[in-house]
């Protein structure tokens, strides 16, 4: 499980669009199977007999609410970029998690970031979206309902990494660290050429700093901006760009799997045993 903390933004629309894999829409409803967890105070915004399936635009407006209620709230650096976006990705070979397991991951990450405090229902508004394979997105507004600004801990990346390792152990998932340890003996025993090629493929597939990840991010960003252009042509172009980004992600996964196969230890066939014969002197 690899956590990634995105740069804070002023509006939740782009993070939400990135989470669902397409531009936000007033016509597409996000069910409880997509929004797998949210802040506990949300229950006060919906009546028992009210339709609880909101569109992605309605979710974005809900996350934007604190801006309107507290127009002067600002961070210690005097900025209004209150939208926090956190992404976690599972290992490509991990099993599929169930809805409750994704929800547990979401609440644990929210507590680590500090936006969810047990017993406190009037903190930050946040939701988690599970709309893409092996991926969970947490989006929050750092402005509390009382107007106070929530400052995430300074060591947030270390906390997220530590919690990700604990979640992997509790849910029996594959850890990138453990996977690295298991492949090191294979790298020593594999032919040098295979090890070098596997290293190149791993660098290409790297989700944090690999060149394909950078290209995919630029394509996704361009798609989001093109989608805001008026006319059907912009919508069609944005959709094509989103498809290209998904193809790139699939290529990254294929490269990572290929690199793993390259460094798999080869099982050598056991040499045939020779039968000893005893020569007796006449």
């Amino acid at each position: 499980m690899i956590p990634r903390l995105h740069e804070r933004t002023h509006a939740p629309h782009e993070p939400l669009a990135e989470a669902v894999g397409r531009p936000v829409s007033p016509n597409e409803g996000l069910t409880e199977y997509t929004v797998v967890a949210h802040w506990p105070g949300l229950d006060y915004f919906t009546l028992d007999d009210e339709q609880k399936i909101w569109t992605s635009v309605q979710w974005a407006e809900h996350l934007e609410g604190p801006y309107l209620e507290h127009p002067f709230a600002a961070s210690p650096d005097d900025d209004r970029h209150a939208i926090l976006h956190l992404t976690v990705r599972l290992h490509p070979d991990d099993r599929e998690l169930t809805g409750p397991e994704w929800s547990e991951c979401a609440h644990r990450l929210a507590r680590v970031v500090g936006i969810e405090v047990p017993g406190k229902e009037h903190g930050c508004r946040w939701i988690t979206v599970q709309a893409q394979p092996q991926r969970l997105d947490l989006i929050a507004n750092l402005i509390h309902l009382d107007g106070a600004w929530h400052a995430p801990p300074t060591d947030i990346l270390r906390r997220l990494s530590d919690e990700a390792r604990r979640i992997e152990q509790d849910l029996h998932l594959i850890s990138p660290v453990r996977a690295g340890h298991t492949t090191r003996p294979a790298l020593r025993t594999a032919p040098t050429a295979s090890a070098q090629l596997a290293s190149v493929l791993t660098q290409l597939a790297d989700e944090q700093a690999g060149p394909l990840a950078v290209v995919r991010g630029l394509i996704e960003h361009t798609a989001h901006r093109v989608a805001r252009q008026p006319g059907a042509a912009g919508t069609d172009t944005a959709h094509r760009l989103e498809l290209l980004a998904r193809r790139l992600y699939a290529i990254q996964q294929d490269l990572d799997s290929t690199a793993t196969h390259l460094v798999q230890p080869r099982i050598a066939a056991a040499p045939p045993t020779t039968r000893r014969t005893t020569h007796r002197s006449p």
Side-chain angles (χ1 to χ4, degrees):
M1 177 179 287
I2 302 177
R4 177 187 177 189
L5 187 64
H6 300 259
E7 186 177 356
R8 287 189 289 112
T9 61
H10 184 270
H13 296 77
E14 287 193 9
L16 188 55
E18 182 178 344
V20 298
R22 51 194 171 274
V24 296
S25 168
N27 302 317
E28 180 185 13
L30 302 183
T31 68
E32 61 183 359
Y33 300 103
T34 301
V35 180
V36 294
H38 53 72
W39 66 296
L42 179 64
D43 294 335
Y44 292 101
F45 284 78
T46 57
L47 302 176
D48 292 338
D49 58 349
E50 184 181 353
Q51 180 70 24
K52 292 188 177 182
I53 299 180
W54 291 359
T55 66
S56 53
V57 167
Q58 287 175 315
W59 281 113
E61 292 173 348
H62 175 71
L63 291 171
E64 263 187 328
Y67 278 125
L68 304 177
E69 298 169 9
H70 304 286
F72 300 106
S75 74
D77 296 329
D78 200 28
D79 70 76
R80 294 268 289 171
H81 295 147
I83 302 301
L84 179 141
H85 182 199
L86 166 67
T87 303
V88 291
R89 293 182 184 270
L90 302 187
H91 192 277
D93 295 330
D94 267 322
R95 62 180 177 85
E96 290 288 340
L97 298 187
T98 64
E101 287 176 325
W102 280 120
S103 179
E104 178 185 350
C105 294
H107 284 284
R108 291 176 63 166
L109 294 171
R111 287 194 291 270
V112 166
V113 176
I115 59 176
E116 179 182 292
V117 180
K120 185 176 181 180
E121 298 181 346
H122 301 287
C124 299
R125 296 186 184 186
W126 63 271
I127 66 172
T128 50
V129 176
Q130 205 286 300
Q132 302 185 54
Q134 307 295 75
R135 168 174 171 160
L136 183 73
D137 289 78
L138 186 151
I139 307 170
N141 191 315
L142 298 180
I143 302 176
H144 284 230
L145 297 189
D146 59 3
W149 186 284
H150 172 73
T154 55
D155 59 343
I156 182 173
L157 291 176
R158 181 187 62 81
R159 295 191 183 194
L160 287 171
S161 179
D162 292 344
E163 187 62 23
R165 300 292 85 77
R166 287 190 287 266
I167 292 174
E168 288 166 350
Q169 293 177 1
D170 295 342
L171 298 183
H172 306 291
L173 302 176
I174 297 175
S175 168
V177 176
R178 294 200 306 270
H181 283 308
T182 57
T183 56
R184 282 175 186 169
L187 284 173
R188 287 194 295 267
T189 58
T192 303
S194 296
Q196 292 177 346
L197 292 174
S199 176
V200 172
L201 296 181
T202 301
Q203 293 176 21
L204 289 174
D206 185 79
E207 184 61 30
Q208 299 296 323
L212 292 181
V214 175
V215 173
R216 198 183 84 239
L218 292 173
I219 292 176
E220 291 174 344
H221 178 71
T222 303
H224 296 157
R225 298 194 63 177
V226 170
R228 296 184 176 183
Q229 303 297 320
T235 303
D236 181 65
T237 302
H239 179 66
R240 292 173 60 187
L241 289 173
E242 288 289 347
L243 292 177
L244 286 173
R246 293 182 190 180
R247 289 167 59 187
L248 271 178
Y249 180 63
I251 290 174
Q252 287 178 269
Q253 291 183 312
D254 290 341
L255 287 173
D256 187 71
S257 299
T258 303
T260 302
H261 288 304
L262 273 174
V263 296
Q264 288 289 343
R266 297 180 179 178
I267 302 176
T273 57
T274 58
R275 181 180 300 177
R276 292 185 178 181
T277 58
T278 305
H279 297 280
R280 295 181 179 180
S281 56

